[in-house]
Amino acid sequence: DLGTPNEKIWPGFKQLPAVQKMKFTEYPVSNLRSRFSMLTELGISMLGKFLTYDPQQRVTAEDAMKHSYFGEAPLPIDPAMFPTWPAKSELGHRKALAASPKPPSGGKEYKQLGGDGDDDGYGFRIGISAVDSRRLAMGGGFSLKF
């Protein structure tokens, strides 16, 4: 969506080693405004600075934090206003275990499909038998190896 880089928007692009070895399809530069219609002009300006191909022209994190976009409404809140939760390490061993999600019950559904082992080494298959899969060079169906 950003278009194909070229010498006009990234001086020195053609001298990059990978670029000299490849041919790129030419795509026109996209209009960020149509893709991000909810952003203000300052928001589009900042997004454009982040998405600039040329690393020499791309905005740094320090300069981005000083961008005018952060001065318009809605203003960012002070980090002290963010909600906090205690770390699991502060809960104690038993409470930390209780707070962890339970693992999924594994294998029961697979066993119900009729196979509890990898008898032929070809894994789990849907839509094709083990014998048919050996006969067909590019066999049909769906295959997963567990």
Side-chain angles (χ1 to χ4, degrees):
D1 280 355
L2 297 175
T4 306
N6 57 43
E7 284 291 322
K8 181 179 176 186
I9 61 173
W10 185 352
F13 173 72
K14 293 285 186 191
Q15 282 70 46
L16 295 172
V19 174
Q20 294 174 357
K21 297 175 185 176
M22 293 184 235
K23 174 126 174 85
F24 293 94
T25 304
E26 291 292 323
Y27 290 101
V29 175
S30 171
N31 184 3
L32 290 176
R33 162 69 50 215
S34 62
R35 176 76 66 169
F36 298 97
S37 59
M38 76 294 290
L39 289 177
T40 64
E41 287 302 319
L42 289 173
I44 292 292
S45 165
M46 186 165 141
L47 183 61
K49 290 176 185 285
F50 277 123
L51 299 177
T52 298
Y53 282 119
D54 185 357
Q56 301 300 320
Q57 296 177 23
R58 195 176 308 132
V59 69
T60 64
E62 186 176 334
D63 288 342
M65 292 299 295
K66 298 174 187 171
H67 195 277
S68 305
Y69 171 75
F70 292 113
E72 66 181 8
L75 293 174
I77 66 170
D78 186 88
M81 299 294 291
F82 285 108
T84 59
W85 294 270
K88 281 189 177 182
S89 60
E90 296 173 3
L91 295 176
H93 181 70
R94 286 187 170 211
K95 287 185 180 179
L97 287 176
S100 295
K102 302 294 180 232
S105 61
K108 184 173 76 174
E109 289 80 12
Y110 175 69
K111 288 177 185 174
Q112 289 174 350
L113 289 173
D116 58 346
D118 190 8
D119 301 334
D120 59 5
Y122 285 96
F124 174 70
R125 287 170 299 284
I126 296 175
I128 190 166
S129 71
V131 174
D132 290 339
S133 68
R134 290 187 197 120
R135 286 188 202 141
L136 300 172
M138 300 295 283
F142 179 80
S143 160
L144 290 176
K145 179 75 176 169
F146 289 105

